[in-house]
Each structure stands twice: as C-alpha cells, then as structure tokens.
C-alpha cells in the first residue's frame, strides 16, 4: 500500500476518503494508474522485461524496421533513453541493428526472430496482468472502458 492509500485508511480499516474526492475522475484515474503501473512493472519484471522493451518490440512488429528517432516517436520513449533500451534489447538478441543503406550515419532497428518469440510471451503476460487489473469488469465492460479511455486520451493528445 502506498502512502496516499494508507492515509485513506483509519485504524479500523474503513475508508475515510471524502465522497467528493471519490467522485473525481481525475483522482480515480490517478489511483488506478498507480496500481496499474505497479502491477504491470512487477509482472513484466518477473518475465525479465520492462514496459519500454514491450513498446519497442510491439512497434517493430507492427510497423517494421525503424531508426532510433522513429522508434522514439512511435513508442513515446525519449530519444536520450532509446539508446539504453536498444542496448538492452540488442544484448539479448531481441533486436538487430544495421546501418541504414540510405543514410550510413544512422542505424535501422529490426525485431529478431527471438524478439518475436519474446513479444508473444510478453503479450500473454500482459493479457494475464490486464485480467487481474480489470477483474471486476465483464468482457463488454472492459471493451467499453478501453474505448472510453482511448477517446479521452485522443481528445487530450495534441495532433491525434
């Protein structure tokens, strides 16, 4: 339990959060994000992976080879952090780097066969983790929840 959650619980374990706070979508999203982030981070760690590994592998699988800069744009990973992520993935033979035939100053990153297998394994791990996260919701409610979150994020994301 994080400090913010502990502060909501008196000695008898009953929730003491004021109702007006419990009705605020921003607060609910923040708390759910904290729990979700912890669940996903710990679950991926047990699978010897990190969120950024998954983001890069998924991007390469879906959209094909890319430069480091393009991977940064696709995945939301800062360009300065991308080199470290790619070094980790390359050290495990999950991606391959090759000079770009058009511009030899940059590399083209490609998912390796081992990376494809690892990505399939991570998909299963994340499916299981999302089942835990969304356990109280029916399949239809889960689909609706994701659609609503997507709509909100698209609305608040410039250029989408």
């Amino acid at each position: 339990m994080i400090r913010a959650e502990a502060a909501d619980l008196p000695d008898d374990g009953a929730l003491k959060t004021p109702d007006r706070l419990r009705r605020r979508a921003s607060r609910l999203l923040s708390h759910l994000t904290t729990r979700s982030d912890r669940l996903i981070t710990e679950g991926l760690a047990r699978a010897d992976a990190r969120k950024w590994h998954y983001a890069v592998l998924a991007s390469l699988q879906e959209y094909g080879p890319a430069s480091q800069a393009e991977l940064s744009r696709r995945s939301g990973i800062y360009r300065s952090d991308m080199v470290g992520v790619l070094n980790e993935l390359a050290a495990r033979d999950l991606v391959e780097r090759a000079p770009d035939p058009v511009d030899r100053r940059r590399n083209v990153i490609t998912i390796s066969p081992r990376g494809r297998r690892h990505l399939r394994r991570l998909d299963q791990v994340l499916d299981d983790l999302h089942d835990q996260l969304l356990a109280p919701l029916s399949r239809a409610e889960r689909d609706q929840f994701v659609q609503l979150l997507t709509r909100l994020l698209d609305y608040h994301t410039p250029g989408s």
Side-chain angles (χ1 to χ4, degrees), residues 56-57 59-61 63-71 74 82 86-87 89-90 94-100 106-112:
V56 168
L57 294 174
S59 175
L60 290 170
Q61 177 67 28
Y63 297 112
S67 68
Q68 290 177 189
E70 179 63 24
L71 279 173
R74 288 181 191 172
M82 182 58 73
L86 292 175
N87 286 343
L89 293 171
L94 301 175
V95 298
E96 299 166 352
R97 287 181 173 134
D100 185 336
R106 67 180 186 177
N107 288 318
V108 172
I109 314 302
T110 306
I111 190 170
S112 70

Side-chain angles (χ1 to χ4, degrees), residues 44 47 49 54 57 118-127:
L44 286 174
Y54 183 80
L57 294 174
H118 189 63
L119 179 60
R120 283 192 299 273
R121 180 172 167 245
L122 295 180
D123 280 333
Q124 184 58 56
V125 167
L126 285 171
D127 287 347

